[in-house]
Amino acid sequence: MRAASPAAAAVGGALRGGGERGSGGGGPRMESSDLGGRQQGPIWHRKPGPAARRGVIVNIIHSVKGYHSKTIRFLNVAFDSSGDSLLAGDHQGNIYVFDLNGNRFNLVQRTMQACTALAFNLRRKTEFLVALADYSIKCFDIETKELVSWMRGHDSSVSSISVHGSGRYAITTSTDTAQLWDLDTFQRKRKLNVRQSVGIQKVFFLPLSNTILSCFKDNSVFAWEFDTLRCKYQLPTPVEGSVLLYKVFAVTRDGRIFVAGGKSNHLHLWCLESKQLIRIIQMPAKVRAVRHLEFLPDSFDGGSNQVLGVLSQDNIMRFINIETCKLLFDIGSHEEGISTAAISPNGRYIASVMENGSLNLYSVQALTQEGNKPPPPMFKAVEDSSKCTSEANTLTMRVTSGRSEWPWKSKGSKIQTRLLKLQVNTSLENKENELPGGLNKKRLRALLKGFGEYPAKYRMFVWRSLLQLPENHLAFSSLIDKGTHSAFVNIQNEYPIKSMKLLRVLQRTLSALAHWSAIFAETPYIPLLAFPFVKLFQNNQLICFEVVATVVVNFCQHWFEYFPNPPVNVLSMLENVLAHHDKELLQHLITYSVTSQVYAWPLLETLFSEVLTREEWLKVFDNIFSNHPSYFLMIVVAYIICSRAPLLHCNQTADFEYFFHHRNNLDINVVIKEAYHLMEATPPDIHPQNMLDDFIPLTKGQYPVFNKYPKFIVDYQTREWERIRQDEIEYLRERQLAHELEAKAQEWKAEDEAWYRKQELLREAEEQKRKMLLEEEEKLVEQRQRLAAVKREMKVKELQFLDASRRRFLKYQQDQRQMELKRLDDEIARKVSMREQETAATVQDVEVRRMEVESQRQLFEQHLIKDQEAVTQEMKEEVDARRRKVAEENLAKAEQKCIDTDWRLQVLHELRRDDQDRERRYEEIAKLLHDNRVKEAELLKAMREAEEKKWEEVTQKKAQLEEEQKAAAAADEYRKWFLEDKMNDALEMAEKLQSEDGYFERLRDLKARRTERGIELQQVPRSGNVCLNDLSASESSSHMSLDRRREELACQKRELMAEVRRLRQKLTSRARTRYPPTHFPATKWTT
């Protein structure tokens, strides 16, 4: 195989401008804008004028840069009511708003899932509705980029969103249901359900009315009243036995004309006012199905739109006039097909989503200009003037590019379709010249001879018709599914193409050819042969493959019979023709040993791509595809003959090789004319036309078997290549293993060297650290010496400071102690005075109570005597019984009073004892205070005189404290003895009183109630009759009050003694901790 870089460079030079589309011409370049990762920015840098290429204002793509760069496909577009803002969504859920007046775009939402329908909210201009792949509908705000509402209810994908003219309601349609939503509350109002066997095509609002139109899959169309949802009418069945199934629909802006289309080239026009089918429009034969319909608004038509956009299955959108049925203009092409489109309400823009995922914005003004209209038709159908009438009952019309054809007149009310037919007596030659798409090969040749080339706009379409490509999608898909052929896995090494897309298309095309026939995997020049077509048809790989296959089958006949050598038979044909027409040039080439493999084979194997420019190459192949396959060989001979002047001056083989591998200054039109001359002037015995077969197109359905090559050689080469490949793989594996072992050995060696080097560095570092440590130790000794001196100075200062602080603290403690003693003296005096006052009040109260009891007792005795006398007089027979009863009662009351008297005596004795104890405690406290002051004075004096006597004094204080505690214990014992003695005295006195007074004989019965306490004191009445029960209650209350007072006095006494004990303990602890031994390091204590 020839060196890769010169061949690739030559092919790249031959097809310069390959970044343009295959059908591109020399017109203005359209503006392209890549959104990339930007969230906002300008749409175009310079807005194209009316002369924009094919009316395209800007081509918008969304590419993602990275390790695997890719293009994100747009799916849906929608205009707002003004027509100046465009909403577009891609398959990753990114929603963009394009301001066409302000030349700005903005990313308004990331839904993270593909959108299936878009619509603006007509009432709130900043809101829009988007239907998502999860069957939900969301409403977003453009300015705040926030979610306004989330509507659910569909069980399948939403295909369309229709908003009412008021902007308050919206209808969403899926295959099984249509739902009516209130856009103010975002609540579902109604739901339209149908049987699954019927299915819904589309439900939408009619403009300028309150009517809802529903279209079903069984061709039924119903109109519903919006307010009541009552069925207004149903359109009748269009034609009996019609096979047209409605798929797409459109309505004019005034809501009067309704258009329906489907899988046919017919369109039905309905008048919604009369509910009648008014016209059937027949699209061109190349239109087999209609995918989208939309009217083009006009500012001056009052809503009765006349221009209808029809998007067909060939991805071309044609705009026709529904009245005249003339084709006005079209957008899109076979190479750049349209997937869906939307037209702005103001009729200024057309936004189309292309098949490659990009978004094209068209200017309607540029499309409707005369300069951008298609050329006038070359063929005009013969019309029957007798049938060209304008009667109202004529329905069917053909769409033409020049004028309307009225082919027939209807009979009665039956709707029929009739087309004009050519005469039956057409010749066989004309039938052979007929091509797909309505073209005629003979007329195309006449056009080609007149203009020298086909129009750039229609060249690809003409080529597809001339080559009669079958477009076998399934067969091509099966070849592509086999993957990349092993022969072209590393094709980028041989052909370093900058464009990765172009390289992938070339690799896939070559792999498909190799899978189709094994010869192409072994043919070294097949990439050079296929590359021009790959670059030309890179956007349609099926057409690219079929064009290359057609060229190989028809224009490369007998090339592979002498494989792997060049086609000697074909080269011999060329040499014979050259010898007949220019013997001198052939003799010159033979003289310098230049064979046909030098001057003819390079032109054949590269298909002239190395020696011609793009325009020249396209012009040459316009003529090659329009003639017999032998014309290709004549072009080669014509190129050599037209180059005879420079060739006759060459005398070295390298010069000849260079000449046929590089471009030369040669008029290609002269070469083409010379080829036609050779086709006519060559004798039949050497004419290639007699040796080559006629053009045979590829078969439909499956591609033909290609085996016109020495199969044993190819199979042998294939086996050898496979063996060599396996050996190479084994060699590469062993070499890889050897490299790995060598790398491992080098790694181990490097690790060893690194380890020894590291050990050496560690040893040096250790020595250095040892020296540094010695130096640091010396410095540390010096620092320690300086630190010891500083510490000594600080210790002296600290001792001085501690001595001063100790003195200040002793003075502070002394002041605090004096203040505490003073506070204790005041507290004790206050408590003593309170105790004296309480005792005096209690004694007075007891005396008053005793006097009251005595008076009451005397009064009671008087009343009792009187009662006894009265009872004696009245009831003499019951005196004895009464006396016994009264004696018992008096005995009980006397016993109660005896108990009360006993307790009163105890209280008096307790009060006297408390007074004595309090006086004794006062004396003891005063003595203790005096002793404490003396001891403190002695302690201070002893501390100033000699510190060594401190612990002895503490020991003495402890002994004294123990003596005091013993004295206090003795005092407590004495107090207990005194209380018991007084109690006994009180009991004796009570017995004595009992023996003296006869009325108190019942006191022993009341002794059992001595333990009753807690009863509140009840006031004894001062006047009135008092009975025995009243006297008992009064005495009991007095007794209980005295008992409670006694308990309070005992509690206060205990608190006072506890406080005295705490004061003693506090004084002792202070004496112990005032001068701790740690403050006197020079003093040593021994036991």
Side-chain angles (χ1 to χ4, degrees), residues 1027-1050:
C1027 64
L1028 292 175
N1029 293 333
D1030 294 337
L1031 179 60
S1032 177
S1034 176
E1035 292 176 354
S1036 176
S1037 299
S1038 177
H1039 164 68
M1040 297 307 296
S1041 178
L1042 292 174
D1043 187 31
R1044 188 182 304 106
R1045 195 64 185 168
R1046 183 179 61 79
E1047 289 179 356
E1048 291 177 358
L1049 291 175

mmCIF file of all heavy atoms in Angstrom, residues 1027-1050:
data_model
loop_
_atom_site.group_PDB
_atom_site.id
_atom_site.type_symbol
_atom_site.label_atom_id
_atom_site.label_comp_id
_atom_site.label_asym_id
_atom_site.label_seq_id
_atom_site.Cartn_x
_atom_site.Cartn_y
_atom_site.Cartn_z
ATOM 1 N N CYS A 1027 -70.103 23.210 131.084
ATOM 2 C CA CYS A 1027 -70.289 21.835 131.522
ATOM 3 C C CYS A 1027 -68.950 21.148 131.705
ATOM 4 O O CYS A 1027 -67.896 21.726 131.443
ATOM 5 C CB CYS A 1027 -71.162 21.076 130.538
ATOM 6 S SG CYS A 1027 -70.397 20.937 128.911
ATOM 7 N N LEU A 1028 -68.980 19.914 132.158
ATOM 8 C CA LEU A 1028 -67.745 19.188 132.382
ATOM 9 C C LEU A 1028 -66.992 18.953 131.100
ATOM 10 O O LEU A 1028 -65.759 19.010 131.065
ATOM 11 C CB LEU A 1028 -68.065 17.837 133.065
ATOM 12 C CG LEU A 1028 -68.576 17.952 134.503
ATOM 13 C CD1 LEU A 1028 -68.974 16.565 135.011
ATOM 14 C CD2 LEU A 1028 -67.535 18.576 135.412
ATOM 15 N N ASN A 1029 -67.707 18.683 130.026
ATOM 16 C CA ASN A 1029 -67.036 18.473 128.727
ATOM 17 C C ASN A 1029 -66.306 19.718 128.281
ATOM 18 O O ASN A 1029 -65.215 19.667 127.758
ATOM 19 C CB ASN A 1029 -68.041 18.049 127.664
ATOM 20 C CG ASN A 1029 -68.604 16.668 127.954
ATOM 21 O OD1 ASN A 1029 -67.934 15.855 128.589
ATOM 22 N ND2 ASN A 1029 -69.819 16.422 127.483
ATOM 23 N N ASP A 1030 -66.872 20.914 128.505
ATOM 24 C CA ASP A 1030 -66.210 22.163 128.111
ATOM 25 C C ASP A 1030 -64.956 22.375 128.910
ATOM 26 O O ASP A 1030 -63.932 22.816 128.402
ATOM 27 C CB ASP A 1030 -67.159 23.342 128.297
ATOM 28 C CG ASP A 1030 -68.337 23.250 127.342
ATOM 29 O OD1 ASP A 1030 -68.185 22.562 126.295
ATOM 30 O OD2 ASP A 1030 -69.370 23.869 127.623
ATOM 31 N N LEU A 1031 -64.969 22.117 130.157
ATOM 32 C CA LEU A 1031 -63.789 22.284 131.002
ATOM 33 C C LEU A 1031 -62.691 21.349 130.577
ATOM 34 O O LEU A 1031 -61.526 21.729 130.494
ATOM 35 C CB LEU A 1031 -64.190 22.014 132.470
ATOM 36 C CG LEU A 1031 -63.058 22.116 133.504
ATOM 37 C CD1 LEU A 1031 -62.467 23.520 133.495
ATOM 38 C CD2 LEU A 1031 -63.580 21.753 134.905
ATOM 39 N N SER A 1032 -63.037 20.129 130.243
ATOM 40 C CA SER A 1032 -62.020 19.168 129.781
ATOM 41 C C SER A 1032 -61.375 19.627 128.492
ATOM 42 O O SER A 1032 -60.176 19.520 128.322
ATOM 43 C CB SER A 1032 -62.668 17.785 129.586
ATOM 44 O OG SER A 1032 -61.723 16.880 129.069
ATOM 45 N N ALA A 1033 -62.169 20.138 127.555
ATOM 46 C CA ALA A 1033 -61.617 20.617 126.266
ATOM 47 C C ALA A 1033 -60.699 21.791 126.481
ATOM 48 O O ALA A 1033 -59.645 21.902 125.860
ATOM 49 C CB ALA A 1033 -62.765 20.979 125.323
ATOM 50 N N SER A 1034 -61.057 22.730 127.376
ATOM 51 C CA SER A 1034 -60.218 23.901 127.633
ATOM 52 C C SER A 1034 -58.913 23.491 128.243
ATOM 53 O O SER A 1034 -57.851 23.975 127.842
ATOM 54 C CB SER A 1034 -60.997 24.861 128.552
ATOM 55 O OG SER A 1034 -60.184 25.955 128.881
ATOM 56 N N GLU A 1035 -58.978 22.595 129.227
ATOM 57 C CA GLU A 1035 -57.741 22.156 129.858
ATOM 58 C C GLU A 1035 -56.854 21.408 128.873
ATOM 59 O O GLU A 1035 -55.636 21.570 128.855
ATOM 60 C CB GLU A 1035 -58.088 21.251 131.045
ATOM 61 C CG GLU A 1035 -58.759 22.007 132.187
ATOM 62 C CD GLU A 1035 -59.167 21.076 133.307
ATOM 63 O OE1 GLU A 1035 -59.002 19.852 133.088
ATOM 64 O OE2 GLU A 1035 -59.617 21.533 134.355
ATOM 65 N N SER A 1036 -57.448 20.572 128.001
ATOM 66 C CA SER A 1036 -56.648 19.840 126.990
ATOM 67 C C SER A 1036 -55.977 20.788 126.027
ATOM 68 O O SER A 1036 -54.827 20.607 125.661
ATOM 69 C CB SER A 1036 -57.557 18.861 126.233
ATOM 70 O OG SER A 1036 -56.831 18.228 125.212
ATOM 71 N N SER A 1037 -56.681 21.855 125.620
ATOM 72 C CA SER A 1037 -56.088 22.830 124.682
ATOM 73 C C SER A 1037 -54.934 23.543 125.340
ATOM 74 O O SER A 1037 -53.886 23.757 124.717
ATOM 75 C CB SER A 1037 -57.155 23.845 124.250
ATOM 76 O OG SER A 1037 -58.217 23.182 123.588
ATOM 77 N N SER A 1038 -55.078 23.927 126.595
ATOM 78 C CA SER A 1038 -53.982 24.588 127.294
ATOM 79 C C SER A 1038 -52.789 23.664 127.420
ATOM 80 O O SER A 1038 -51.647 24.070 127.232
ATOM 81 C CB SER A 1038 -54.467 25.035 128.680
ATOM 82 O OG SER A 1038 -53.416 25.606 129.382
ATOM 83 N N HIS A 1039 -53.080 22.404 127.680
ATOM 84 C CA HIS A 1039 -51.987 21.437 127.803
ATOM 85 C C HIS A 1039 -51.236 21.268 126.496
ATOM 86 O O HIS A 1039 -50.011 21.253 126.469
ATOM 87 C CB HIS A 1039 -52.568 20.099 128.253
ATOM 88 C CG HIS A 1039 -51.627 18.954 128.038
ATOM 89 N ND1 HIS A 1039 -50.439 18.813 128.757
ATOM 90 C CD2 HIS A 1039 -51.690 17.913 127.174
ATOM 91 C CE1 HIS A 1039 -49.824 17.740 128.346
ATOM 92 N NE2 HIS A 1039 -50.564 17.174 127.361
ATOM 93 N N MET A 1040 -51.959 21.184 125.410
ATOM 94 C CA MET A 1040 -51.314 20.989 124.104
ATOM 95 C C MET A 1040 -50.512 22.206 123.703
ATOM 96 O O MET A 1040 -49.449 22.096 123.094
ATOM 97 C CB MET A 1040 -52.364 20.678 123.030
ATOM 98 C CG MET A 1040 -53.117 19.375 123.282
ATOM 99 S SD MET A 1040 -52.031 17.968 123.540
ATOM 100 C CE MET A 1040 -51.254 17.903 121.974
ATOM 101 N N SER A 1041 -50.997 23.402 124.021
ATOM 102 C CA SER A 1041 -50.236 24.627 123.713
ATOM 103 C C SER A 1041 -48.951 24.652 124.508
ATOM 104 O O SER A 1041 -47.891 24.990 123.970
ATOM 105 C CB SER A 1041 -51.110 25.843 124.035
ATOM 106 O OG SER A 1041 -50.387 27.024 123.804
ATOM 107 N N LEU A 1042 -48.996 24.291 125.752
ATOM 108 C CA LEU A 1042 -47.777 24.265 126.560
ATOM 109 C C LEU A 1042 -46.808 23.217 126.048
ATOM 110 O O LEU A 1042 -45.587 23.436 126.016
ATOM 111 C CB LEU A 1042 -48.140 23.957 128.028
ATOM 112 C CG LEU A 1042 -48.918 25.056 128.746
ATOM 113 C CD1 LEU A 1042 -49.340 24.576 130.145
ATOM 114 C CD2 LEU A 1042 -48.078 26.319 128.859
ATOM 115 N N ASP A 1043 -47.320 22.092 125.598
ATOM 116 C CA ASP A 1043 -46.445 21.051 125.045
ATOM 117 C C ASP A 1043 -45.737 21.525 123.799
ATOM 118 O O ASP A 1043 -44.550 21.309 123.612
ATOM 119 C CB ASP A 1043 -47.298 19.814 124.754
ATOM 120 C CG ASP A 1043 -46.425 18.648 124.336
ATOM 121 O OD1 ASP A 1043 -45.269 18.573 124.804
ATOM 122 O OD2 ASP A 1043 -46.883 17.808 123.513
ATOM 123 N N ARG A 1044 -46.471 22.211 122.883
ATOM 124 C CA ARG A 1044 -45.848 22.704 121.649
ATOM 125 C C ARG A 1044 -44.782 23.753 121.988
ATOM 126 O O ARG A 1044 -43.721 23.789 121.372
ATOM 127 C CB ARG A 1044 -46.931 23.313 120.743
ATOM 128 C CG ARG A 1044 -46.395 23.679 119.362
ATOM 129 C CD ARG A 1044 -47.476 24.335 118.507
ATOM 130 N NE ARG A 1044 -48.665 23.522 118.370
ATOM 131 C CZ ARG A 1044 -49.814 23.768 118.980
ATOM 132 N NH1 ARG A 1044 -49.935 24.825 119.764
ATOM 133 N NH2 ARG A 1044 -50.862 22.967 118.821
ATOM 134 N N ARG A 1045 -45.067 24.607 122.966
ATOM 135 C CA ARG A 1045 -44.085 25.638 123.323
ATOM 136 C C ARG A 1045 -42.832 25.002 123.887
ATOM 137 O O ARG A 1045 -41.724 25.461 123.628
ATOM 138 C CB ARG A 1045 -44.719 26.563 124.382
ATOM 139 C CG ARG A 1045 -43.953 27.833 124.544
ATOM 140 C CD ARG A 1045 -43.994 28.645 123.263
ATOM 141 N NE ARG A 1045 -43.164 29.830 123.367
ATOM 142 C CZ ARG A 1045 -42.834 30.588 122.370
ATOM 143 N NH1 ARG A 1045 -43.238 30.260 121.150
ATOM 144 N NH2 ARG A 1045 -42.102 31.679 122.535
ATOM 145 N N ARG A 1046 -43.051 23.927 124.705
ATOM 146 C CA ARG A 1046 -41.891 23.254 125.280
ATOM 147 C C ARG A 1046 -41.009 22.647 124.170
ATOM 148 O O ARG A 1046 -39.793 22.725 124.224
ATOM 149 C CB ARG A 1046 -42.372 22.156 126.240
ATOM 150 C CG ARG A 1046 -41.242 21.431 126.969
ATOM 151 C CD ARG A 1046 -41.817 20.393 127.885
ATOM 152 N NE ARG A 1046 -42.580 19.404 127.167
ATOM 153 C CZ ARG A 1046 -42.000 18.393 126.492
ATOM 154 N NH1 ARG A 1046 -40.706 18.252 126.497
ATOM 155 N NH2 ARG A 1046 -42.757 17.539 125.842
ATOM 156 N N GLU A 1047 -41.641 22.056 123.158
ATOM 157 C CA GLU A 1047 -40.868 21.461 122.060
ATOM 158 C C GLU A 1047 -40.085 22.524 121.289
ATOM 159 O O GLU A 1047 -38.944 22.319 120.904
ATOM 160 C CB GLU A 1047 -41.812 20.715 121.108
ATOM 161 C CG GLU A 1047 -42.376 19.442 121.705
ATOM 162 C CD GLU A 1047 -43.319 18.746 120.736
ATOM 163 O OE1 GLU A 1047 -43.561 19.315 119.661
ATOM 164 O OE2 GLU A 1047 -43.801 17.645 121.061
ATOM 165 N N GLU A 1048 -40.709 23.705 121.072
ATOM 166 C CA GLU A 1048 -39.993 24.777 120.368
ATOM 167 C C GLU A 1048 -38.789 25.237 121.174
ATOM 168 O O GLU A 1048 -37.709 25.468 120.620
ATOM 169 C CB GLU A 1048 -40.946 25.932 120.119
ATOM 170 C CG GLU A 1048 -42.036 25.612 119.087
ATOM 171 C CD GLU A 1048 -42.995 26.766 118.916
ATOM 172 O OE1 GLU A 1048 -42.812 27.779 119.646
ATOM 173 O OE2 GLU A 1048 -43.904 26.665 118.073
ATOM 174 N N LEU A 1049 -38.960 25.343 122.494
ATOM 175 C CA LEU A 1049 -37.822 25.777 123.329
ATOM 176 C C LEU A 1049 -36.712 24.745 123.280
ATOM 177 O O LEU A 1049 -35.522 25.086 123.179
ATOM 178 C CB LEU A 1049 -38.288 25.991 124.779
ATOM 179 C CG LEU A 1049 -39.233 27.194 124.984
ATOM 180 C CD1 LEU A 1049 -39.725 27.217 126.438
ATOM 181 C CD2 LEU A 1049 -38.526 28.504 124.661
ATOM 182 N N ALA A 1050 -37.059 23.461 123.298
ATOM 183 C CA ALA A 1050 -36.025 22.422 123.236
ATOM 184 C C ALA A 1050 -35.292 22.453 121.901
ATOM 185 O O ALA A 1050 -34.076 22.286 121.833
ATOM 186 C CB ALA A 1050 -36.670 21.050 123.461
#
